[in-house]
């Protein structure tokens, strides 16, 4: 074999068709091989594919693992053939279905299912007792609140700005773990004596946090006073207190139920049941709102339906209407004129409805967007609407005397919270619930902050940020009667900003104003 190679190379070297460069190259190869043979080093293989050495490292996507499979014998079946295998698979399917079935029984006091396994039910019941005494069925908005500002005016803007410039983290911890999983909604109790916030997470857990009061651990150290209970079996999409009775907290879930938590009885109760348990795809409740009298609950579904439920009637009785072709992600009732409803949908539209005409022609207006509209909320005084969309624009509308919505401002804002943001809960701009203050709303920011904007001129009022906040406060809510704001993150943690003492003065962090696009003529 070696002689053949040498003969071949000799013939090639003697080939008259080769130019001087090629002959010189072959001669260099021959000399190098001769040197290697003299050094007793094996012949180097020259056929190595250098491209293979430069291949990039490939990162495999780690998809969720499949459920653990157990043998037939472990599952209680004799492995005697296909029949036993089918029976085992059916039994496994029933087990998985039971995990998704919503909670039907009312949960009372000691029967509350704590997430952390700590026997603190008595302490929680004591907290609820204090809340019922302090609230005494007070309204969400206290008439005694005096903000000494002109709503919508220049003085009102500056007064609100001074308040938020003095806010700081209210606790010794930057964040407090309230729920086991990602927070989807927040409800703040209106009591001014005790600050209690509730948060619903991705897996149906309802967490409570007593912001201003700590408890002692077994090592005699201060720790946050938090409680978490399994109120639903799926994502809690909305949570709100009754407009007329703050001792009742209502929660809406993907498990197809609306439940109320009674502070007086320390009891979860079914208020509404939608769909059947054996049909998982038909009863996702995506949003909820209540009329000012607290007697009717309005809800939306992932199939574009809008429903009305009178809480004085049996839980199974309700009316339903098809308003969108795709999921309705948010609904909002005008608190001053409750006959007007605004909906936002994944079908890239925001629509204005007259619910008095649901059986005929209820639609008043339709606004088309370039992407899914994630939320749309009425202001507390009923004359404005703010919407959020995946096209990275916040839109503020005015509600005029002709009962039409007219675009007032467009505010650029990064609303992309999907895979790029680490699966952060989508941003929703929510108004301050007090109609006596300068109209303004809050929304999360991808820079681990929360931004407050004016509803009158669209300007940025203030940015809330803290060095200890390591996650994005995607879900935010105002306290209706105190200068206090709470935020929730994708890790189940919450933070609270509260007005700090005036002495010594604290410096806030204010961002540069963002450009505001004012549009007088908007076609829809």
């Amino acid at each position: 074999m070696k002689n053949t190679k040498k003969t071949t190379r000799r013939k090639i070297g003697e080939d008259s068709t080769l130019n001087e460069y090629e002959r010189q190259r072959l001669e260099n190869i021959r000399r190098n091989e001769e040197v290697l043979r003299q050094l007793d080093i094996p012949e180097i293989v020259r056929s190595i594919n250098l491209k293979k050495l430069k291949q990039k490292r490939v990162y495999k996507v780690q998809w969720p693992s499949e459920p653990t499979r157990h043998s037939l014998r472990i599952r209680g079946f004799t492995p005697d053939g296909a029949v036993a295998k089918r029976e085992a698979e059916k039994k496994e399917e029933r087990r998985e279905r039971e995990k998704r079935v919503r909670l039907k029984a009312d949960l009372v006091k000691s029967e509350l299912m704590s997430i952390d396994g700590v026997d603190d039910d008595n302490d929680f019941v004591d907290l609820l007792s204090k809340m019922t005494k302090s609230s005494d069925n007070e309204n969400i908005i206290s008439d005694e609140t005096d903000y000494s500002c002109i709503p919508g005016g220049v003085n009102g803007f500056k007064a609100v700005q001074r308040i938020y410039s003095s806010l700081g983290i209210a606790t010794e911890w930057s964040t407090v773990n309230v729920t086991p999983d990602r927070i989807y909604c927040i409800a703040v109790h209106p009591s001014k004596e005790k600050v209690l916030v509730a948060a619903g997470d991705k897996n149906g857990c309802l967490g409570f946090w007593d912001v201003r009061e700590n408890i002692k651990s077994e090592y005699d150290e201060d720790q946050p006073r938090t409680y978490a209970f399994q109120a639903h079996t799926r994502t809690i999409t909305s949570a709100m207190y009754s407009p007329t009775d703050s001792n009742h907290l209502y929660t809406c879930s993907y498990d197809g139920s609306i439940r109320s938590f009674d502070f007086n009885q320390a009891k979860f109760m079914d208020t509404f049941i939608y769909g059947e348990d054996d049909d998982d795809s038909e009863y996702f409740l995506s949003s909820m709102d209540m009329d000012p009298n607290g007697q009717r609950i309005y809800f939306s579904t992932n199939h574009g339906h809008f429903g009305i439920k009178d809480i004085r009637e049996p839980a199974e009785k309700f009316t339903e209407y098809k308003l969108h072709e795709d999921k309705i992600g948010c609904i909002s009732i005008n608190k001053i004129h409750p006959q007007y409803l605004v909906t936002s949908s994944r079908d890239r539209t925001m629509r204005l409805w007259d619910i008095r005409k649901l059986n005929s022609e209820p639609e008043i207006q339709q606004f088309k967007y370039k992407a899914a509209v994630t939320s749309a909320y009425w202001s507390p005084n009923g004359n404005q609407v703010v919407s959020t969309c995946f096209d990275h624009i916040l839109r503020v509308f005015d509600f005029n005397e002709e009962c039409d919505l007219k675009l007032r401002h467009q505010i650029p804002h990064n609303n992309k919270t999907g895979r790029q943001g680490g699966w952060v809960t989508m941003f929703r701009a929510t108004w301050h619930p007090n109609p006596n203050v300068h109209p303004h709303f809050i929304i999360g920011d991808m820079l681990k902050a929360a931004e407050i904007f004016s509803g009158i001129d669209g300007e940025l009022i203030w940015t809330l940020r803290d060095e200890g906040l390591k996650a994005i406060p995607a879900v935010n809510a105002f306290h209706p009667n105190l200068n206090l704001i709470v935020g929730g993150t994708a890790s189940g943690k919450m933070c609270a900003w509260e007005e700090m003492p005036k002495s010594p003065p604290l410096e806030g962090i204010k961002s540069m104003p963002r450009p505001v696009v004012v549009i007088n003529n908007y076609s829809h």
Side-chain angles (χ1 to χ4, degrees):
M1 182 66 68
K2 293 183 179 179
N3 293 334
T4 302
K5 292 181 179 179
K6 291 179 180 178
T7 302
T8 303
R9 288 169 184 158
R10 186 169 58 253
K11 290 182 178 180
I12 294 176
E14 295 173 354
D15 191 349
S16 61
T17 60
L18 298 177
N19 57 32
E20 185 63 27
Y21 170 79
E22 292 173 336
R23 293 192 187 95
Q24 184 63 36
R25 186 177 69 85
L26 293 175
E27 181 63 23
N28 291 339
I29 293 174
R30 186 191 62 76
R31 285 201 305 268
N32 292 338
E33 290 179 347
E34 184 66 27
V35 173
L36 291 175
R37 279 194 296 271
Q38 293 177 2
L39 296 175
D40 196 22
I41 298 177
E43 184 179 0
I44 299 176
V45 180
R46 299 187 299 274
S47 60
I48 299 177
N49 189 352
L50 297 179
K51 292 184 179 180
K52 292 183 179 180
L53 300 178
K54 297 181 180 180
Q55 286 182 346
K56 295 183 179 180
R57 184 180 299 176
V58 178
Y59 295 91
K60 295 183 179 180
V61 178
Q62 298 294 330
W63 298 105
S65 59
E66 295 293 331
T68 304
R69 303 285 183 179
H70 299 288
S71 66
L72 296 176
R73 194 181 303 280
I74 292 177
R75 287 186 280 182
F77 293 93
T78 304
D80 56 355
V83 176
K85 184 177 180 180
R86 285 196 298 269
E87 290 295 330
E89 290 175 351
K90 290 181 180 179
K91 187 175 181 179
E92 191 72 21
E93 290 177 0
R94 287 195 296 269
R95 289 178 179 175
E96 291 297 324
R97 185 176 299 174
E98 289 173 358
K99 294 179 182 179
R100 299 193 298 265
V101 172
R102 56 175 168 256
L103 304 174
K104 291 185 177 180
D106 294 339
L107 304 177
V108 188
K109 293 185 179 179
S110 61
E111 297 177 0
L112 290 171
M113 295 181 293
S114 177
I115 299 300
D116 54 15
V118 180
D119 185 16
D120 53 9
D121 293 337
N122 292 332
D123 187 38
F124 181 66
V125 172
D126 178 64
L127 171 62
L128 296 179
S129 177
K130 293 179 180 178
M131 295 304 301
T132 56
K133 292 178 181 179
S134 64
S135 62
D136 193 24
N137 293 340
E138 63 181 340
N139 294 328
I140 293 296
I141 303 299
S142 174
D143 296 333
E144 299 177 358
T145 304
D146 181 16
Y147 285 86
S148 64
C149 66
I150 304 173
V154 176
N155 294 333
F157 181 95
K158 293 181 179 179
V160 172
Q161 191 175 63
R162 283 195 298 268
I163 291 174
Y164 294 130
S165 66
S166 66
L167 297 189
I169 293 296
T171 61
E172 56 183 295
W173 308 277
S174 296
T175 57
V176 172
N177 199 354
V178 179
T179 64
D181 214 315
R182 186 200 313 176
I183 293 176
Y184 269 71
C185 58
I186 294 176
V188 184
H189 195 279
S191 173
K192 293 186 290 185
E193 298 179 8
K194 181 173 286 294
V195 179
L196 180 68
V197 297
D201 79 353
K202 179 180 178 181
N203 292 321
C205 171
L206 183 65
F208 293 89
W209 177 26
D210 188 354
V211 177
R212 291 178 174 173
E213 187 172 344
N214 301 330
I215 57 176
K216 293 291 184 180
S217 66
E218 57 181 340
Y219 303 104
D220 198 31
E221 297 178 349
D222 286 339
Q223 65 181 21
R225 192 181 188 186
T226 61
Y227 310 89
F229 304 99
Q230 195 71 43
H232 295 269
T233 57
R234 291 193 178 186
T235 303
I236 300 177
T237 55
S238 300
M240 61 182 302
Y241 287 94
S242 169
T244 57
D245 186 356
S246 59
N247 290 326
H248 282 85
L249 174 64
Y250 291 88
T251 55
C252 169
S253 172
Y254 277 164
D255 66 8
S257 67
I258 296 177
R259 313 197 85 200
S260 63
F261 183 72
D262 188 344
F263 280 39
N264 294 302
Q265 303 181 55
K267 180 179 180 180
F268 286 104
M269 296 177 292
D270 278 332
T271 302
F272 171 62
I273 300 174
Y274 180 67
E276 300 294 335
D277 286 336
D278 58 353
D279 190 356
D280 296 334
S281 63
E282 294 297 329
Y283 54 79
F284 282 10
L285 299 184
S286 55
S287 181
M288 175 185 66
D289 201 357
M290 298 187 72
D291 69 342
N293 297 324
Q295 296 177 350
R296 290 183 178 85
I297 295 178
Y298 305 96
F299 64 88
S300 62
T301 74
N302 60 320
H303 290 298
H305 289 85
F306 167 75
I308 303 176
K309 167 63 188 169
D310 193 322
I311 62 177
R312 298 165 294 183
E313 297 178 345
E316 297 80 8
K317 188 175 181 180
F318 67 98
T319 56
E320 187 179 22
Y321 306 89
K322 179 75 171 179
L323 299 186
H324 287 263
E325 294 302 323
D326 208 333
K327 174 183 177 181
I328 300 177
C330 179
I331 60 174
S332 180
I333 291 291
N334 192 311
K335 304 305 178 184
I336 306 301
H337 308 286
Q339 67 270 29
Y340 295 112
L341 164 75
V342 64
T343 60
S344 58
S345 172
R346 195 164 53 190
D347 65 8
R348 302 184 178 185
T349 65
M350 183 190 78
R351 306 186 187 190
L352 176 64
W353 310 86
D354 187 340
I355 60 176
R356 298 171 299 182
K357 304 177 181 179
L358 287 173
N359 293 319
S360 55
E361 296 181 359
E363 184 174 328
I364 301 175
Q365 282 179 290
Q366 178 181 147
F367 299 87
K368 294 183 179 181
Y369 292 64
K370 295 181 179 180
V373 190
T374 54
S375 70
Y377 290 105
W378 288 101
S379 62
N381 50 23
N383 61 2
Q384 285 187 302
V385 169
V386 60
S387 69
T388 55
C389 178
F390 281 139
D391 64 358
H392 310 306
I393 296 177
L394 307 178
R395 294 173 173 85
V396 180
F397 299 84
D398 286 337
F399 189 58
N400 54 34
E401 296 180 356
E402 291 76 22
C403 300
D404 289 335
L405 290 174
K406 185 178 180 180
L407 187 63
R408 182 185 184 96
H409 298 298
Q410 286 192 128
I411 308 171
H413 189 271
N414 183 7
N415 296 327
K416 190 174 182 59
T417 57
R419 188 185 297 272
Q420 182 179 2
W423 299 113
V424 178
T425 303
M426 60 184 178
F427 293 153
R428 297 186 175 191
T430 54
W431 295 93
H432 193 291
N434 196 319
N436 299 321
V437 302
H438 179 93
H440 59 283
F441 54 87
I442 188 170
I443 187 172
D445 186 86
M446 293 300 291
L447 299 178
K448 300 177 182 178
E451 296 182 327
I452 304 172
F453 291 92
S454 168
I456 300 300
D457 50 25
E459 290 188 10
L460 178 65
I461 297 177
W462 204 258
T463 299
L464 297 172
R465 185 182 290 112
D466 186 78
E467 294 180 355
L469 186 58
K470 305 302 181 182
I472 300 170
V475 185
N476 299 278
F478 294 96
H479 192 292
N481 297 312
L482 297 173
N483 296 327
L484 186 142
I485 297 173
V486 293
T489 70
S491 59
K493 294 183 178 181
M494 298 188 71
C495 57
W497 286 280
E498 189 175 16
E499 193 171 10
M500 296 288 103
K502 295 183 179 180
S503 179
L506 297 178
E507 294 183 0
I509 302 177
K510 188 172 186 293
S511 298
M512 294 297 293
R514 296 189 175 189
V516 178
V517 181
V518 181
I519 298 181
N520 295 323
N521 297 321
Y522 180 76
S523 60
H524 55 273

